[in-house]
Amino acid sequence: MFDIGASLEREILAVMKNRPTVLFIEPEDPRVIEAALQLPRYARPVFLCSREQVEAVIREKLPHVSPARVAFTLGESAFCELERCRDLQEELARAMLELPAERRLTDDLEEARRLVATPAGFGIMATREEHCDMVVGGARHEPREFFRPLLKVMQREPVLTEAGVIVLPDDHPQDLYPHNILVIGDVGVNATMTPEKLARIAVGTCAVARDLIPLEELPEIGGVMVSYSNRGSDEGPSPELVRDAVKLLPRFLDERCRRGARYCTIGIQGEVKINVALSRRSAQLYEGGEDHSERFRGANVIITPNLDTGNLLFHLFATRYPQAHKFGAVFGIRFRGVDLPMDVAPGDAALAVKANILRLIKFGEWVRTPRDTFFPRPRILAINPGSTSTKLAVFEGEEEIFAQELQHSAAELEPFEGQRIVAQFEFRKQVIEQFLAENGVTLDMLDAVSARGGLVRPIPHGTYDVNEAMRHDLLEGQLADHASNLGAMIAHALVGDRGKPAYIVDPVVVDEMEERCRYTGMKEIRRKAISHALNQIATAHRYAHDHETFYEHLNLIVCHMGGGISIGAHRKGRYVDVNNALDGEGPFSPQRSGSLPVGDLIRLCYSGKYTLQEMLKLNKGRGGLIDLLGTADFMLVEKKYLAGDSDFAPVFEAMAYQLSKWICSLVPAFNGERVDQVLLTGGLARAKPLVDLVRRGCEPLGCGVSVYPGENEMIALAQGALRVLEGRESAKEYVSE
């Protein structure tokens, strides 16, 4: 059977940048909750009740759902108790009276207040006023209570229709509907019919089918307008209605094609006897043989001339094939509502919401939820100081509003030559303040500042408040000097006495290594953890979120591949082992030598060929690909490898081998537990040939490899702050040694 759920999910993830806010008005129904538990990767659920009420239903009715999935979904959800949001109800009641007359449910303020005090009325108006993006109901509401008011308030097209989507199981005859996908319209809206309505319903139903089924699965959408007459074989009002509607089809199809080229794959014919559309044998007999019946081989949409027939046909298929997937999709309300039948199954309810999300995101010109009523979007400034530049980004929630890398010229930095990096503090702070002012961002508009952490003392992973102890260590220079040391100091200065938090997130010195990992064969040398902790941990969080679980529940090996390479073992939320990427431990990289044969290294150091500084430079800065191939330009190296260059290909393959080798070497860090996934990130993760070789090298692990290209540092800083601001984590306190 065609996996409609997987298809919808692939299509959503291909285009999704933000998750829409979906309001569930019937959270007392366990089927609705079970459906919502399948959706947090694609939507931000809002339950019209307290969290405690949802948890009580889950405990009593859904014991089969894993606690991890429940915890993840509820952590991604909002809860709104009607009796506690009187101000919003009043706003919605007054907004109802301001609707156009044809969309208004009442002209009386008291009646409007009564309506928005009900789950259906509140959900419809909250969606209309853009506090959320869609409302889901119907499982416990009669059509007159939810569906009809929804249509009236939300109508955007001249004619509305509800398409019934059915994916039939494999025991249905395979040669009638391609992939056994059948779409029926109208199944829920129009009790009276005119030729124009019927023609628009035909086009709208086919448009729903085109929106939901990828072109590669159904290259053409074949619509059939059915009747009790077959191409003029009988007379009566119903056949005449269909014939008149057929004449109008070209105009409405042209209108639809102008909205999107994909709709040009729609073809509609009629009038066709209903059994011809439902039976291969009937098609052959009525259409005059096999050749003529071929026109129905691609038919996958049935349009009926009245609501009774469409509704009956949909439910006959649904009851005849109980294993079929079936759900409704409304056309004409700009994807603002999902109507669930009272006999809905949880899986079909989830499909209905996913289908609506896909259409909203892909075709609704939707960017994000207009208002942040249920999911506040804190405004966060992320700061990432580098040696000759400072990266800035302003986020609202996880959405980047703007970003800029401020370059600092040699002339601007010349006054600070020979001084510690903290001497640049005031200069860099002023540059940032000036840039923000030029872009209309005042410091009072910010909810938090999140900076890249510097070389403080080794600390566990997490988001840290910038406190006096941290500033002291950075100002006094008790630790190494680095441009990132400026981040915490600038963040603290920018928030000043405004009462807003300043954070650092997962600095390079994050160290949760177990004691057994620190030992070497020389008691004077201990292994240290200095790595790309910010991107490693952010990537692990991202993978966990993509799989609707938590970082703390997973065993992951994360490989950051850039100018330096760090490979870390993340065991159930702890960063238990990683190579010292700063000093070149691990695989060789574009600029670093990597771990070397110790005896040969010692002999080279004492050979007189190199000074101490030259050896240090050869280890970090002039090693790796620079020493082996004369370039750190990995795009060039990749190009030469693909061309079969005899100098470059062996080095490229050796680098991939070392990456795989170091990844696999971390298996003992998990104490015999299974590794859930290997994650590849960093700039070099964009190189498909390298990724393919590493993937092949890691196959014996049996866990799979996922790729998250890029540094992702700015969003990682914002996400670290968000986890604290949203209460999912607590900010940690830095304590100086």
Side-chain angles (χ1 to χ4, degrees):
M1 185 163 67
F2 176 65
D3 192 343
I4 182 75
S7 175
L8 292 173
E9 291 165 8
R10 284 193 300 270
E11 292 282 295
I12 292 170
L13 294 175
V15 295
M16 184 176 71
K17 294 182 179 178
N18 290 304
R19 291 176 293 160
T21 301
V22 180
L23 177 59
F24 294 90
I25 66 169
E26 298 161 327
E28 72 280 10
D29 191 311
R31 298 169 301 167
V32 172
I33 294 178
E34 188 168 355
L37 290 170
Q38 301 176 41
L39 296 171
R41 191 178 183 191
Y42 317 101
R44 306 200 74 175
V46 180
F47 295 102
L48 209 53
C49 66
S50 69
R51 178 170 180 146
E52 291 73 22
Q53 288 171 292
V54 174
E55 290 174 333
V57 173
I58 293 172
R59 281 195 303 271
E60 182 179 353
K61 303 291 186 181
L62 303 173
H64 57 282
V65 180
S66 76
R69 176 169 287 279
V70 170
F72 179 81
T73 302
L74 298 190
E76 295 289 313
S77 301
F79 304 87
C80 175
E81 299 176 72
L82 270 177
E83 60 273 16
R84 295 191 179 183
C85 53
R86 300 297 184 190
D87 290 345
L88 181 53
Q89 286 185 42
E90 183 66 17
E91 175 192 326
L92 298 179
R94 294 184 179 278
M96 186 182 290
L97 301 187
E98 296 175 3
L99 295 176
E102 67 275 12
R103 301 283 158 256
R104 208 175 298 153
L105 299 178
T106 181
D107 293 316
D108 179 71
L109 180 58
E110 288 304 315
E111 176 64 10
R113 287 170 174 156
R114 186 195 68 78
L115 287 170
V116 299
T118 66
F122 180 89
I124 291 168
M125 284 306 300
T127 305
R128 170 77 193 208
E129 293 302 302
E130 300 183 324
H131 295 281
C132 53
D133 302 299
M134 68 184 70
V135 57
V136 181
R140 293 202 174 190
H141 284 81
E142 299 286 352
R144 64 177 179 272
E145 297 171 327
F146 173 70
F147 187 50
R148 300 295 168 185
L150 172 73
L151 298 182
K152 183 171 183 178
V153 170
M154 301 294 185
Q155 184 169 358
R156 294 293 186 275
E157 297 287 340
V159 174
L160 305 174
T161 187
E162 186 173 21
V165 182
I166 306 176
V167 181
L168 295 159
D170 293 338
D171 59 352
H172 182 274
Q174 299 287 308
D175 62 348
L176 190 57
Y177 310 115
H179 294 300
N180 268 353
I181 301 168
L182 177 62
V183 182
I184 301 172
D186 176 12
V187 301
V189 179
N190 297 280
T192 60
M193 198 68 69
T194 65
E196 179 174 339
K197 271 189 180 181
L198 183 56
R200 288 189 181 275
I201 287 168
V203 174
T205 304
C206 290
V208 169
R210 179 71 289 159
D211 289 347
L212 296 182
I213 311 300
L215 281 164
E216 58 268 25
E217 298 293 343
L218 289 181
E220 296 181 355
I221 298 296
V224 179
M225 300 178 70
V226 299
S227 171
Y228 61 75
S229 171
N230 194 69
R231 304 187 188 280
S233 67
D234 207 340
E235 299 298 332
S238 181
E240 288 296 330
L241 173 69
V242 174
R243 291 167 198 155
D244 290 342
V246 169
K247 296 174 186 176
L248 299 173
L249 285 175
R251 174 159 62 95
F252 297 142
L253 278 171
D254 284 345
E255 289 178 4
R256 181 56 43 179
C257 288
R258 285 196 290 272
R259 296 193 186 187
R262 65 188 181 281
Y263 298 122
C264 296
T265 62
I266 294 173
I268 306 173
Q269 55 183 306
E271 88 270 18
V272 175
K273 201 171 180 70
I274 192 167
N275 54 320
V276 172
L278 298 177
S279 163
R280 185 77 176 160
R281 176 178 177 275
S282 295
Q284 292 173 3
L285 294 172
Y286 275 86
E287 295 292 318
E290 182 71 30
D291 292 341
H292 291 286
S293 68
E294 281 299 310
R295 72 185 72 190
F296 293 107
R297 187 173 291 277
N300 36 55
V301 178
I302 295 177
I303 302 102
T304 64
N306 58 69
L307 176 57
D308 285 340
T309 304
N311 194 275
L312 179 63
L313 194 59
F314 179 75
H315 288 290
L316 280 174
F317 270 102
T319 53
R320 170 65 180 82
Y321 298 98
Q323 290 78 34
H325 294 304
K326 47 200 177 292
F327 58 90
V330 181
F331 176 88
I333 62 171
R334 299 303 292 163
F335 327 111
R336 308 307 300 279
V338 175
D339 177 44
L340 303 176
M342 287 189 168
D343 63 349
V344 71
D348 290 340
L351 286 176
V353 178
K354 289 177 187 175
N356 213 49
I357 289 171
L358 173 60
R359 296 172 68 218
L360 172 75
I361 293 177
K362 197 167 185 179
F363 310 119
E365 299 177 358
W366 180 88
V367 177
R368 68 174 185 177
T369 309
R371 303 173 75 169
D372 64 352
T373 307
F374 298 116
F375 295 100
R377 294 188 284 260
R379 190 175 283 110
I380 300 165
L381 171 64
I383 302 174
N384 185 356
S387 58
T388 61
S389 68
T390 303
K391 295 178 183 177
L392 299 177
V394 174
F395 292 83
E396 289 184 359
E398 291 190 354
E399 184 179 0
E400 185 180 272
I401 303 305
F402 68 81
Q404 185 72 38
E405 183 169 2
L406 306 179
Q407 298 293 335
H408 309 307
S409 67
E412 290 174 315
L413 296 177
E414 185 178 5
F416 308 107
E417 276 190 26
Q419 301 182 56
R420 291 186 54 236
I421 194 69
V422 293
Q424 298 181 28
F425 163 73
E426 191 62 37
F427 159 69
R428 298 244 193 167
K429 180 174 79 73
Q430 290 178 359
V431 169
I432 292 171
E433 289 173 332
Q434 180 181 345
F435 175 78
L436 293 175
E438 290 172 353
N439 285 272
V441 178
T442 68
L443 297 174
D444 289 330
M445 294 167 59
L446 301 174
D447 295 293
V449 179
S450 186
R452 185 180 179 192
L455 295 175
V456 293
R457 71 173 183 83
I459 53 176
H461 83 273
T463 300
Y464 285 78
D465 281 312
V466 179
N467 59 15
E468 288 303 315
M470 185 184 298
R471 293 175 63 241
H472 174 271
D473 282 356
L474 294 171
L475 282 168
E476 294 299 317
Q478 296 179 1
L479 302 154
D481 217 24
H482 191 271
S484 61
N485 291 357
L486 292 167
M489 298 168 59
I490 294 172
H492 182 271
L494 290 177
V495 300
D497 58 0
R498 292 178 175 84
K500 308 291 179 65
Y503 300 123
I504 66 165
V505 181
D506 294 327
V508 295
V509 291
V510 165
D511 186 349
E512 296 174 324
M513 286 175 64
E514 297 173 331
E515 193 62 20
R516 63 180 179 171
C517 301
R518 301 185 190 279
Y519 277 90
T520 73
M522 291 186 181
K523 63 182 179 181
E524 289 193 24
I525 299 178
R526 304 272 282 179
R527 292 187 63 237
K528 300 176 184 177
I530 302 179
S531 68
H532 305 89
L534 180 63
N535 191 38
Q536 282 223 23
I537 295 169
T539 301
H541 275 290
R542 182 177 171 187
Y543 175 84
H545 190 276
D546 286 350
H547 291 79
E548 300 176 336
T549 186
F550 300 97
Y551 175 50
E552 293 75 14
H553 292 181
L554 295 172
N555 290 329
L556 303 168
I557 298 175
V558 185
C559 176
H560 175 103
M561 305 182 296
I565 291 172
S566 63
I567 304 174
H570 301 252
R571 190 181 73 222
K572 301 292 174 60
R574 286 184 61 79
Y575 195 19
V576 295
D577 195 5
V578 67
N579 58 301
N580 183 345
L582 183 66
D583 275 352
E585 183 186 18
F588 67 81
S589 78
Q591 299 176 352
R592 299 176 191 180
S593 66
S595 295
L596 301 166
V598 177
D600 290 339
L601 178 62
I602 293 172
R603 284 186 283 272
L604 187 61
C605 289
Y606 284 90
S607 67
K609 188 176 180 180
Y610 299 101
T611 67
L612 170 63
Q613 291 304 316
E614 288 172 337
M615 284 299 299
L616 290 172
K617 195 70 175 175
L618 193 57
N619 176 50
K620 185 182 68 174
R622 297 297 304 171
L625 296 182
I626 290 180
D627 191 52
L628 294 169
L629 298 174
T631 180
D633 183 348
F634 198 78
M635 291 181 68
L636 172 64
V637 175
E638 180 184 7
K639 183 178 179 181
K640 294 277 191 179
Y641 166 74
L642 292 173
D645 187 289
S646 59
D647 292 326
F648 282 73
V651 174
F652 189 94
E653 292 173 357
M655 186 175 182
Y657 170 78
Q658 288 203 9
L659 286 164
S660 305
K661 177 180 174 181
W662 275 83
I663 288 169
C664 294
S665 73
L666 286 175
V667 169
F670 299 96
N671 295 336
E673 294 182 7
R674 180 180 180 275
V675 177
D676 292 301
Q677 197 78 357
V678 172
L679 309 181
L680 305 182
T681 184
L684 304 191
R686 296 189 178 95
K688 188 175 183 301
L690 181 69
V691 167
D692 289 344
L693 288 172
V694 173
R695 194 188 301 274
R696 188 185 312 158
C698 294
E699 279 182 5
L701 292 178
C703 61
V705 175
S706 296
V707 184
Y708 294 88
E711 302 288 340
N712 308 307
E713 290 175 335
M714 305 309 282
I715 183 61
L717 291 172
Q719 288 171 336
L722 270 177
R723 288 194 291 271
V724 173
L725 295 174
E726 294 177 349
R728 289 179 282 142
E729 290 182 10
S730 297
K732 295 181 177 179
E733 181 184 5
Y734 177 81
V735 180
S736 181
E737 288 183 334

